[in-house]
Amino acid sequence: MSLLASLNMTSETRLSNETGSPLHRARASVLHNIQVQRDLLAHERNGTSPANMTKVVTKNGVETTRKLRPRRWFFKSPTTGEWLVQVLVGHKPLVIRDGMTSIVAGDLDAVEATLNLVAQAVQDNELDTALSAAIAARAARPKTAKGSKPKSKTKGAAPAATTEPAPQ
């Protein structure tokens, strides 16, 4: 008997539009970043610096190690002193409900519970409308070349230089 003949086969195929869709990638990105936030939260509790966060990048066959400095999603409110959580998608806060982006957590234990709730909401597709809106807003932004500054929105000549006498 052949080895291939012993395999249990099916005609089912992978859904190509689901795995590569922007919404699916956004969900995966948020879930990955929630794990990063959990690591940052552990460092915050211990009072240590997250010095070991690195990423190996391969470009043109050359591997380089880059130090990551992820932005924390949680911060202490300057007005109330409570810990708040903002879910970031593409470095922008995600509008979760009623135009609001910050979730009041209270203390660091509640920050972890909030991150767990957000992760569960992403897995249950409850944040799909908010993620879709963030994807659409990101797609609508004008693109600039890497390293270049966006062009000025004002048209016309630059302001004339003023000539003032030198102080004496």
Side-chain angles (χ1 to χ4, degrees), residues 14 61 90-91 96 105-106 121 125 128 159:
R14 180 186 306 191
H91 300 286
I96 296 177
N125 302 336
D128 282 358

Side-chain angles (χ1 to χ4, degrees), residues 16-152:
S16 61
N17 61 347
E18 177 64 22
T19 57
S21 73
L23 183 59
H24 181 76
R25 288 192 309 264
R27 279 189 213 126
S29 174
V30 168
L31 290 174
H32 168 75
N33 287 325
I34 285 174
Q35 185 57 46
V36 171
Q37 295 305 311
R38 287 178 181 140
D39 294 343
L40 291 174
L41 183 61
H43 286 288
E44 181 74 29
R45 284 181 174 155
N46 298 335
T48 60
S49 175
N52 297 347
M53 299 185 110
T54 59
K55 177 181 181 181
V56 177
V57 178
T58 304
K59 187 174 184 180
N60 298 334
V62 178
E63 284 189 0
T64 56
T65 303
R66 292 186 180 172
K67 185 176 179 180
L68 297 178
R69 294 178 302 209
R71 184 173 165 192
R72 292 187 323 171
W73 288 4
F74 52 95
F75 59 96
K76 205 166 200 176
S77 169
T79 56
T80 64
E82 293 181 309
W83 285 93
L84 305 176
V85 177
Q86 278 187 331
V87 178
L88 300 180
V89 175
H91 300 286
K92 302 278 184 190
L94 183 67
V95 177
I96 296 177
R97 188 180 68 211
D98 301 329
M100 292 184 267
T101 60
S102 297
I103 304 167
V104 178
D107 60 356
L108 287 177
D109 291 331
V111 168
E112 185 171 10
T114 302
L115 290 172
N116 292 336
L117 284 173
V118 170
Q120 189 62 44
V122 170
Q123 290 172 344
D124 293 343
N125 302 336
E126 291 181 32
L127 288 177
D128 282 358
T129 55
L131 288 171
S132 296
I135 292 166
R138 187 171 186 184
R141 287 194 303 237
K143 296 187 189 299
T144 59
K146 188 174 184 177
S148 68
K149 294 181 181 178
K151 293 185 179 183
S152 174

